[in-house]
Amino acid sequence: MIEKIKKNKFLIYLLILIIGLVLVLIIRTAYAYLMADIGLGKIVNINSNSDTLDKLEFIPGTPLTIAATNTTLIENGINMTSTSKPKVSLTANSTNNTATYNYYVYFKMTSDFVYTVNDTTPELMLTITDGAGTQITNIAGLVYKTFGGISGFDVTNKNGTFPVSLTSSITSTSATTATIQEWTFTLTYLNLNSDQSANIGKKVTNEILIQKDKIV
């Protein structure tokens, strides 16, 4: 048989082609799994055509902004609100068609606003709904209240980074259609039936952090 192959150039070329294809498949498979081991531990946004990698994305929402001016703080006027809708997106790998990841959510803010009535009457409130549509009611360092028909956290003069969720997760069962969890953050400035001129010109800066790693 070997002698027959040696004498037939076509069979020699065919044998070389078959061996080459086998080697390419072996190398490709080994490389793909190597990338899976390295990539999933360090990369958040994975954009790859490899069928062994998942695609996890954190899509930021618009900034929350509140502008306290003479025209917006009219006594007995309407509340001012600002809403942001960040998203978490996950597409599973096409090998297993399933993937699950944990992620962390934080709210970082700096506020110049002050209490104008007393220290228990909120003026700036934060309302949060998670990716499953459930309202968040417990955040370390913040007090959840209901006032003036608004339920949320009193963040009138709060500064710092607050852990919104340390136990969130997302699961995908498709390699073609992403699973998307949309969060809703709403910042409301309550227009009270009192003099709030002390907050004219005040500002609040904030950042919604949704990420794969926990803040230590």
Side-chain angles (χ1 to χ4, degrees):
M1 182 66 179
I2 295 177
E3 293 297 326
K4 185 177 180 181
I5 293 175
K6 287 181 178 180
K7 294 178 180 180
N8 191 321
K9 291 184 178 181
F10 174 76
L11 291 177
I12 293 174
Y13 292 144
L14 183 60
L15 182 61
I16 293 173
L17 179 61
I18 292 172
I19 293 173
L21 288 174
V22 171
L23 289 174
V24 168
L25 288 174
I26 292 173
I27 293 172
R28 181 185 181 278
T29 302
Y31 177 74
Y33 279 97
L34 177 62
M35 285 300 293
D37 291 339
I38 296 175
L40 292 181
K42 298 181 180 179
I43 300 175
V44 174
N45 295 317
I46 303 171
N47 299 306
S48 172
N49 293 323
S50 171
D51 57 3
T52 61
L53 295 179
D54 307 315
K55 184 178 180 182
L56 176 64
E57 293 182 293
F58 300 119
I59 305 167
T62 56
L64 295 171
T65 58
I66 293 291
T69 66
N70 288 316
T71 56
T72 59
L73 282 183
I74 301 174
E75 190 169 331
N76 291 321
I78 62 174
N79 297 335
M80 291 182 289
T81 62
S82 180
T83 299
S84 180
K85 293 182 178 291
K87 299 178 180 66
V88 182
S89 173
L90 176 62
T91 306
N93 61 82
S94 59
T95 300
N96 300 318
N97 285 306
T98 183
T100 297
Y101 286 90
N102 298 323
Y103 62 90
Y104 301 89
V105 184
Y106 300 90
F107 186 73
K108 182 178 181 180
M109 72 172 295
T110 301
S111 173
D112 292 331
F113 285 84
V114 297
Y115 292 102
T116 59
V117 179
N118 53 56
D119 291 344
T120 60
T121 301
E123 303 198 25
L124 196 62
M125 297 185 73
L126 175 66
T127 304
I128 306 173
T129 302
D130 67 16
T134 302
Q135 189 163 328
I136 302 293
T137 59
N138 186 25
I139 296 178
L142 298 179
V143 178
Y144 189 84
K145 297 181 178 181
T146 298
F147 186 86
I150 304 295
S151 294
F153 297 95
D154 181 2
V155 293
T156 302
N157 61 351
K158 298 301 181 182
N159 295 276
T161 300
F162 302 94
V164 176
S165 175
L166 304 179
T167 59
S168 293
S169 66
I170 184 171
T171 297
S172 172
T173 56
S174 173
T176 57
T177 303
T179 296
I180 296 177
Q181 294 182 351
E182 182 180 77
W183 287 65
T184 302
F185 288 72
T186 300
L187 197 60
T188 302
Y189 189 80
L190 297 172
N191 201 315
L192 305 176
N193 184 21
S194 61
D195 180 10
Q196 294 177 279
S197 59
N199 278 320
I200 292 178
K202 302 293 185 178
K203 64 180 180 178
V204 55
T205 59
N206 57 81
E207 185 178 5
I208 300 168
L209 305 173
I210 302 182
Q211 57 192 51
K212 191 171 182 292
D213 298 320
K214 182 179 181 180
I215 294 178
V216 180

